[in-house]
Amino acid sequence: MRAGLVAYRGVALVFALAPSLAAQEAPVAESGNAAAGAREHEPTSSLELSAALGPSLVFGEPANPAFSESVGRVGVELAGAIAYRSSYFVDPRLEVGYAWLAHGRSELPSGPWGDGGALKQQLGTWLISPGISADIWRFRPRIGIGLSIVSQSNDFAGQTHSSTQLSLLSQAGLGFQVFEADSLRIDADARIVGIPGADLTFMSVGIVGRWDAVSFR
Amino acid sequence: MNSRLASLAVPACSTLLLTLGLAASAGLTMQGCESAPDAHIPGFSDGGLLREGRPLSREQLYAFEGGFDLTEGSDLLGDDLSIRTTIGTVSLLTDKEAGFAALGAACLPDDRVVLEGYWQYPTRAESGLVRLFVGPEDVAHQLCMGQTPAAAAGLELTGSYGEDDDFPRVPLALHWARELKPWRGRFFTVAHHGACEATDHCGVSQNSVESIRLSDRIGSNAVEIDVRATRDGIPVLFHDPGLSSALVRGLFCNGKISQLSLAELRGNCALRYGETIPTVAEALAAVVDSTEIEGVYLDVKVPEAMLPTTRIVNQVLSDLERRNSNDDPSDDRHVGIVVAIVSDENLQAWHSTKAALQAEGLSVPPCLVEYDPDLVLSEGCVAWGPTWTGGPQTSEVERLRQAGAMTVFWTINQTDFIDQYLKRSMPNGIISARAALLFHRYQKYGTPPELAGGAMPAVPAVSGAPPESAAPAPEAPAPAVPAPEAPDPGGADPNGAQP
């Protein structure tokens, strides 16, 4: 959790500084920098759809190490987003995604619940997060806050049950554009998501495909 | 170019501010509920003097009870404090920052008696070590001879305190000044959530067995604990419906209490300081077996927890009754347990619970109503538990007192409010997360409630009462538990075949 927070704060700091870098970028664009000036030749705004896929790594420890036999912290995150690429610096966006975060296995002794046995856990979360992003040269920093629906299933004594928990989330990410053709862009992307109400923090890296579905001139 | 720069500057600046704001708020969101506050319970690096000595007996510890004035160390503990004792602990209780010191006591090989342990301000991350020696010498000698001093008058405690784990060097001295007002079986200093708030620095989680044990050591003689039911119907101690990170930890600890079985809850979750989420049965066993707590206020949060909780209470009270009815008074243990009815929904559950218990041939345990004083009487409950926000409600408290019912206000942590309610309402108890503060203010301004001639069913009997030679002894005996029904003004039979 603490490692996650440190990483998160690092990303947040970079992002917080990004607009000032952008302001410095503007004169360069005017002097003819092709990359920075590329957006001048694009439509002034567009409605952008995007999809992201990549592995995730969740932080945190099981509560009872004495019971825990194995924990898998690497999962997969899949997300889709819609963004309005405005003619201004900041683009509003709405993202919906799901992350398969972790799985584990514990061996419970006999107790007040009855006989012991293997307890298998699966942890995931839905993410619904409005936020903002910006294009700074090829970088695309973003932040968002929103809601998460943390879902967990437990398999014990031959029965599987699920539980859910609604919690606030915040996230920060940074994409780097590696490909561009017409209205299609592909980014390499990394982000960190914090769900403090559920004591969850995870980060993910992945590929993001972005497509201008509608252009406004 | 200048106009172009100007046109860029406005959105850039506004964007910068917006971004900084969002980043800051996002960071705060990440950090807000990150973890329980740090708590440090200091200890002597060499184990202290207690390990070299012979612990004083429970009976000997009673000799330390009383009101004390400080001649040195008032910066830490104020000008005066109260000392009460429990199993293995001498507790210094003050109204300065609700501070307390929990000390062990032992006779050293050189005939000195040492009190040693730690002090703490529960609302602040401040604590330190305390070491006191008992004077005069003849009192220490008596204690080391295994005797109990005839009176606490003249008792002096002299030594020092420190900060954190630093060796105690700041002078601390206090001397006996007055007897304590009667409190055992009379006035309930009820520990909220078992002891401390989630935001306190006590080093234990609320609603844990550890917090119940701590509450006994820091000034409480009753505990209020919250009860919910797991998916498989086992009542456990937990306050919130959901497994909030403010209360629990664990990668796989998510969802609601009602969605998880006890096995899943225990396998996946621990309380903030690592303790197990206890069942009601475990908590009551801890109360009975490892504390001198006299009263338990079960705040049953959900209707589905009512019946299984009352079954457990029934079992505990039956076991106690059996234990107390044998010929050996030395193992007697009296604990009053009340089941709180906190809403109309729970009242319906209470009615069906009573019917179910009666059908099973079981007794109905004493109840408490939190919201409507009239229901206390019509339901045959033993106590009213109003929130402090309704004011002292002096006339209602008096009306219930006349009818033989107790009043226990919840939850008061502020000194001036505690004083006001003690003076105006003279309640039978107050729920507070500041046990030391409440106990000491009761000693200053409280009026020992009168026992209502056997019509006070859930008032626990004197528990672990000091021997006659020690001061102070309770002024009046209390009825045994489970006790007879409260008077029934309506002529109904509210609690059936109770006890």
Side-chain angles (χ1 to χ4, degrees):
Chain A
M1 177 70 184
R2 290 207 176 276
L5 280 172
V6 170
Y8 170 83
R9 286 167 187 158
V11 174
L13 182 63
V14 168
F15 185 53
L17 294 173
S20 59
L21 293 174
Q24 294 170 11
E25 194 75 32
V28 178
E30 190 172 12
S31 68
N33 184 306
R39 198 167 170 181
E40 291 182 22
H41 305 295
E42 294 175 354
T44 52
S45 58
S46 67
L47 199 62
E48 179 192 81
L49 301 179
S50 64
L53 177 67
S56 66
L57 175 68
V58 69
F59 301 96
E61 296 296 329
N64 298 305
F67 298 159
S68 181
E69 289 194 333
S70 66
V71 182
R73 290 187 177 78
V74 177
V76 175
E77 186 186 11
L78 176 63
I82 183 168
Y84 177 70
R85 300 188 74 216
S86 72
S87 55
Y88 291 101
F89 177 69
V90 169
D91 302 336
R93 65 198 304 272
L94 174 67
E95 180 177 342
V96 177
Y98 186 83
W100 290 265
L101 290 175
H103 57 89
R105 178 190 164 95
S106 299
E107 191 66 31
L108 297 186
S110 298
W113 51 82
D115 292 337
L119 170 64
K120 297 173 187 170
Q121 308 100 338
Q122 296 279 347
L123 178 66
T125 184
W126 285 96
L127 310 168
I128 304 164
S129 173
I132 54 173
S133 63
D135 286 316
I136 304 170
W137 188 57
R138 288 180 160 190
F139 289 105
R140 187 171 173 83
R142 68 177 186 280
I143 59 169
I145 55 175
L147 289 175
S148 69
I149 304 168
V150 178
S151 62
Q152 183 175 322
S153 74
N154 296 293
D155 185 338
F156 181 70
Q159 292 189 328
T160 302
H161 292 277
S162 297
S163 58
T164 56
Q165 183 167 330
L166 191 66
S167 187
L168 291 175
L169 73 84
S170 58
Q171 62 166 315
L174 185 63
F176 181 77
Q177 185 178 301
V178 295
F179 175 79
E180 180 175 19
D182 296 331
S183 58
L184 180 67
R185 290 166 294 280
I186 294 177
D187 298 348
D189 185 84
R191 71 163 156 174
I192 186 160
V193 179
I195 309 172
D199 209 10
L200 275 178
T201 303
F202 69 92
M203 60 183 303
S204 66
V205 294
I207 297 296
V208 180
R210 298 190 281 134
W211 172 58
D212 288 327
V214 181
S215 297
F216 308 100
R217 292 181 183 276
Chain B
M1 177 161 174
N2 286 341
S3 61
R4 177 67 188 266
L5 275 176
S7 66
L8 280 171
V10 172
C13 286
S14 59
T15 301
L16 175 62
L17 290 173
L18 175 67
T19 307
L20 282 172
L22 281 174
S25 62
L28 287 173
T29 305
M30 293 281 291
Q31 195 174 21
C33 303
E34 176 190 351
S35 62
D38 291 333
H40 177 63
I41 306 302
F44 287 88
S45 57
D46 61 356
L49 294 175
L50 288 179
R51 65 191 173 90
E52 300 173 9
R54 177 178 52 79
L56 299 188
S57 70
R58 176 67 190 98
E59 287 68 31
Q60 288 178 306
L61 294 184
Y62 288 119
F64 293 95
E65 294 195 342
F68 284 69
D69 289 340
L70 282 83
T71 49
E72 290 186 283
S74 55
D75 285 350
L76 179 74
L77 296 173
D79 295 328
D80 55 54
L81 54 76
S82 299
I83 292 184
R84 53 155 279 189
T85 62
T86 185
I87 305 165
T89 301
V90 175
S91 309
L92 278 55
L93 310 170
T94 173
D95 49 12
K96 185 175 173 64
E97 303 289 349
F100 61 82
L103 312 174
C107 175
L108 300 176
D110 60 4
D111 229 20
R112 290 184 301 166
V113 174
V114 67
L115 303 181
E116 208 174 64
Y118 72 98
W119 65 269
Q120 189 176 56
Y121 293 152
T123 57
R124 295 156 57 167
E126 292 181 37
S127 58
L129 295 169
V130 176
R131 176 176 287 169
L132 294 168
F133 293 96
V134 175
E137 282 182 12
D138 60 316
V139 172
H141 179 70
Q142 271 186 298
L143 289 166
C144 285
M145 294 296 289
Q147 301 167 357
T148 300
L155 193 67
E156 295 169 350
L157 302 173
T158 309
S160 51
Y161 71 91
E163 302 276 344
D164 299 321
D165 285 319
D166 295 345
F167 189 81
R169 299 186 191 284
V170 184
L172 176 63
L174 48 156
H175 61 270
W176 189 92
R178 64 199 77 82
E179 288 193 355
L180 293 181
K181 289 175 182 171
W183 55 277
R184 287 188 172 90
R186 300 291 289 273
F187 180 79
F188 297 108
T189 303
V190 189
H192 191 214
H193 301 326
C196 300
E197 301 285 11
T199 51
D200 287 349
H201 304 263
C202 294
V204 295
S205 305
Q206 67 177 39
N207 284 314
S208 64
V209 165
E210 289 75 6
S211 74
I212 290 170
R213 292 190 180 120
L214 177 66
S215 70
D216 184 39
R217 301 181 68 213
I218 63 174
S220 299
N221 62 337
V223 290
E224 180 263 356
I225 47 182
D226 306 295
V227 180
R228 290 184 179 276
T230 59
R231 192 185 69 235
D232 46 350
I234 299 175
V236 296
L237 269 55
F238 206 78
H239 184 271
D240 294 356
L243 293 162
S244 146
S245 62
L247 299 179
V248 290
R249 68 187 195 194
L251 178 61
F252 296 111
C253 185
N254 300 289
K256 295 175 181 168
I257 293 284
S258 59
Q259 292 176 319
L260 299 175
S261 68
L262 182 64
E264 293 162 358
L265 195 62
R266 287 283 182 86
N268 292 330
C269 302
L271 294 169
R272 283 308 305 183
Y273 288 99
E275 307 95 330
T276 298
I277 297 174
T279 63
V280 168
E282 291 166 340
L284 293 180
V287 166
V288 171
D289 296 335
S290 59
T291 74
E292 291 186 356
I293 284 169
E294 301 175 292
V296 180
Y297 181 130
L298 291 168
D299 189 347
V300 181
K301 296 288 188 189
V302 288
E304 53 269 27
M306 191 67 84
L307 180 56
T309 300
T310 52
R311 281 193 178 121
I312 292 166
V313 171
N314 227 303
Q315 184 63 50
V316 172
L317 292 177
S318 298
D319 291 347
L320 284 171
E321 193 176 14
R322 215 168 15 253
R323 174 175 167 176
N324 296 337
S325 63
N326 65 21
D327 294 334
D328 180 10
S330 67
D331 72 347
D332 282 6
R333 179 78 173 94
H334 300 280
V335 181
I337 305 173
V338 293
V339 177
I341 301 167
V342 301
S343 65
D344 282 334
E345 192 183 16
N346 276 23
L347 181 61
Q348 298 306 314
W350 175 250
H351 289 158
S352 57
T353 292
K354 284 203 296 187
L357 291 176
Q358 286 165 359
E360 295 170 22
L362 299 173
S363 302
V364 179
C367 59
L368 172 150
V369 176
E370 285 197 349
Y371 54 109
D372 184 350
D374 292 332
L375 278 176
V376 175
L377 304 179
S378 64
E379 292 295 324
C381 293
V382 300
W384 181 38
T387 170
W388 71 276
T389 53
Q393 305 187 72
T394 310
S395 59
E396 289 289 356
V397 174
E398 182 56 31
R399 180 169 72 91
L400 289 172
R401 182 181 295 123
Q402 293 301 323
M406 299 186 295
T407 298
V408 178
F409 282 97
W410 58 275
T411 296
I412 314 179
N413 294 335
Q414 301 285 334
T415 307
D416 48 352
F417 283 103
I418 286 173
D419 291 351
Q420 186 184 149
Y421 282 71
L422 285 172
K423 291 173 182 172
R424 293 179 59 184
S425 301
M426 295 179 285
N428 300 80
I430 292 176
I431 296 176
S432 177
R434 311 281 170 258
L437 169 69
L438 174 57
F439 186 88
H440 189 49
R441 300 305 278 196
Y442 166 73
Q443 290 300 327
K444 280 185 170 178
Y445 303 116
T447 302
E450 292 299 323
L451 293 174
M456 193 71 82
V459 177
V462 176
S463 166
E468 287 182 6
S469 57
E475 286 181 348
V481 173
E485 288 294 289
D488 175 24
D493 182 17
N495 276 345
Q498 170 78 9

